[in-house]
Amino acid sequence: MTQMGRFIPPDAEPGELGVHSVDHFGLNVPDLAEAEHFYRSFGMDVQAESARLVLRTTGNPHTWAAIQEGSRKSLRYISFGAYEEDFPRFRERLERMGIQRLDSPPGYESNGLWFRDHDQNLVEIRVCEKTSPHEKTPFAMRSTPGGERGAPMRAEALEIRPKRMSHVLLFTTDVERAIRFYTQVLGLHLTDRGGDAIAFLHGIHGSDHHMFAVALSPAPGFHHASWGVDSINEVGLGAMQMADRGYSAGWGLLRHVLGSNYSHYVRDPWGSYFEYTCDIDYIPKNYPWKAGHYKPEDSIYLWGPNLPEDFIVNSEVQPEVSSAKS
Ligand SMILES: [Fe+2]
């Protein structure tokens, strides 16, 4: 069991220790056929492997997500990537902090370190290649000269296929504890906070403004995964692509304040979201970013449609939990 009282600060060790990427995540969903339709429509490369669907992005062999059938939608695990030379130090850190190591989930072959976070989410640290970007992701904003059309016919619009995963946002029962756990155990750094409601964290080896984020809720849960495209035009085309295939619920087009990214969120069949995003801020390796603490109403979005009332509803909160807290 995780023992929060025994944390030591990571700077107690020589050299700072931190994961470099969110490698991938595992999600349980109630209907794999419905899942396949949603993720293919979004532009993911979806393959059935054993009893799960594996999500990749075009032209990249990396597995970003593994989707399995379960009684309801829930996070199965989240896997963070570390450099090989750091792996023994993570093992020692877990031991020193009294965090119990667990077996990998059934049917999942891995040599990683498995444990539970403050919300009992299953977390892995594994040795793998850095998948978070090494620099700010290029962003295209192209104009055409006079005498040329800028937009194609609708029928000729690009099929949107995201390039990479940018970040994952989970619901947490305690933002403060989440920040402590993910900074002191995983070695992430706090980038910014929106009141006590939301926190964004980046990797110390260079990553987007957030590769992992948490938002307050009465229960843990998976809120969204975000996927990088090249332009605002592609964000908009992605939203239309999903609307054309029956997934018109969501939020966007908008520009965030914290992260600065342009986004459109598409609601999945289970009340969580996949986000098309571009031009997210980047925190270079060893950059002395000063974490900010802002009012949520001033920091979530710069412009866009009003925040839908159901956007931050945690669909994983069970009815009895919900009524007990209300
Ligand atoms: Fe996001």
Side-chain angles (χ1 to χ4, degrees):
M1 193 183 143
T2 305
Q3 297 176 44
M4 297 292 295
R6 295 179 58 190
F7 281 132
I8 56 159
D11 61 4
E13 299 168 278
E16 195 168 357
L17 180 62
V19 294
H20 55 57
S21 307
V22 173
D23 185 69
H24 73 289
F25 64 91
L27 200 63
N28 297 314
V29 301
D31 186 331
L32 279 188
E34 206 172 11
E36 183 168 0
H37 186 261
F38 177 83
Y39 298 127
R40 275 196 200 286
S41 299
F42 193 83
M44 306 303 296
D45 177 1
V46 183
Q47 285 168 7
E49 290 185 6
S50 304
R52 59 177 77 106
L53 299 176
V54 167
L55 305 190
R56 300 192 175 96
T57 45
T58 305
N60 185 345
H62 183 73
T63 294
W64 297 108
I67 315 294
Q68 277 189 246
E69 203 153 274
S71 57
R72 62 189 181 87
K73 188 266 293 177
S74 60
L75 182 79
R76 186 168 164 78
Y77 62 86
I78 183 161
S79 179
F80 290 85
Y83 292 120
E84 189 166 7
E85 60 267 31
D86 289 339
F87 196 69
R89 294 172 64 204
F90 275 115
R91 190 186 296 117
E92 288 161 18
R93 177 184 280 180
L94 293 175
E95 274 170 25
R96 245 194 340 274
M97 296 174 83
I99 296 172
Q100 188 186 341
R101 296 254 311 274
L102 304 169
D103 293 333
S104 53
Y108 188 83
E109 296 295 319
S110 165
N111 297 323
L113 304 168
W114 292 87
F115 49 97
R116 291 196 183 274
D117 73 4
H118 64 293
D119 274 328
Q120 300 304 305
N121 291 311
L122 192 55
V123 177
E124 181 191 29
I125 298 174
R126 67 202 305 250
V127 174
C128 57
E129 267 186 48
K130 184 174 187 282
T131 53
S132 62
H134 295 285
E135 58 187 4
K136 171 92 184 233
T137 305
F139 169 66
M141 182 75 97
R142 199 175 74 85
S143 183
T144 47
E148 272 186 36
R149 289 183 196 278
M153 296 298 113
R154 273 291 292 276
E156 293 160 4
L158 270 182
E159 171 85 9
I160 297 305
R161 301 187 61 85
K163 297 268 175 60
R164 66 179 181 95
M165 187 167 77
S166 170
H167 57 268
V168 170
L169 189 147
L170 301 182
F171 284 115
T172 180
T173 57
D174 189 327
V175 169
E176 202 69 53
R177 286 183 76 199
I179 293 169
R180 277 210 308 276
F181 190 90
Y182 283 93
T183 57
Q184 297 182 0
V185 180
L186 282 293
L188 297 176
H189 276 196
L190 179 66
T191 318
D192 285 315
R193 290 180 66 165
D196 296 323
I198 192 160
F200 301 97
L201 298 109
H202 64 274
I204 63 171
H205 300 284
S207 82
D208 289 340
H209 172 277
H210 46 288
M211 64 183 192
F212 181 70
V214 289
L216 188 63
S217 173
F222 172 84
H223 182 265
H224 77 265
S226 182
W227 304 87
V229 294
D230 287 342
S231 65
I232 299 171
N233 190 49
E234 289 196 9
V235 173
L237 282 171
M240 287 304 295
Q241 175 173 307
M242 290 303 272
D244 286 348
R245 293 172 196 187
Y247 304 105
S248 55
W251 184 36
L253 176 75
L254 62 99
R255 188 178 196 190
H256 284 290
V257 174
L258 302 181
S260 310
N261 40 329
Y262 301 92
S263 293
H264 184 95
Y265 294 83
V266 184
R267 192 178 166 104
D268 70 18
W270 314 282
S272 42
Y273 296 85
F274 259 29
E275 175 188 15
Y276 294 108
T277 206
C278 67
D279 204 32
I280 190 166
D281 292 338
Y282 186 78
I283 317 286
K285 182 177 179 173
N286 298 328
Y287 189 85
W289 180 273
K290 294 259 181 291
H293 197 162
Y294 306 95
K295 294 178 187 167
E297 62 273 23
D298 196 33
S299 60
I300 301 302
Y301 64 114
L302 184 64
W303 52 256
N306 290 337
L307 187 69
E309 276 185 16
D310 59 0
F311 186 72
I312 46 170
V313 170
N314 182 353
S315 59
E316 293 172 47
V317 173
Q318 298 302 287
E320 62 275 14
V321 176
S322 184
S323 58
K325 293 273 180 185
S326 61

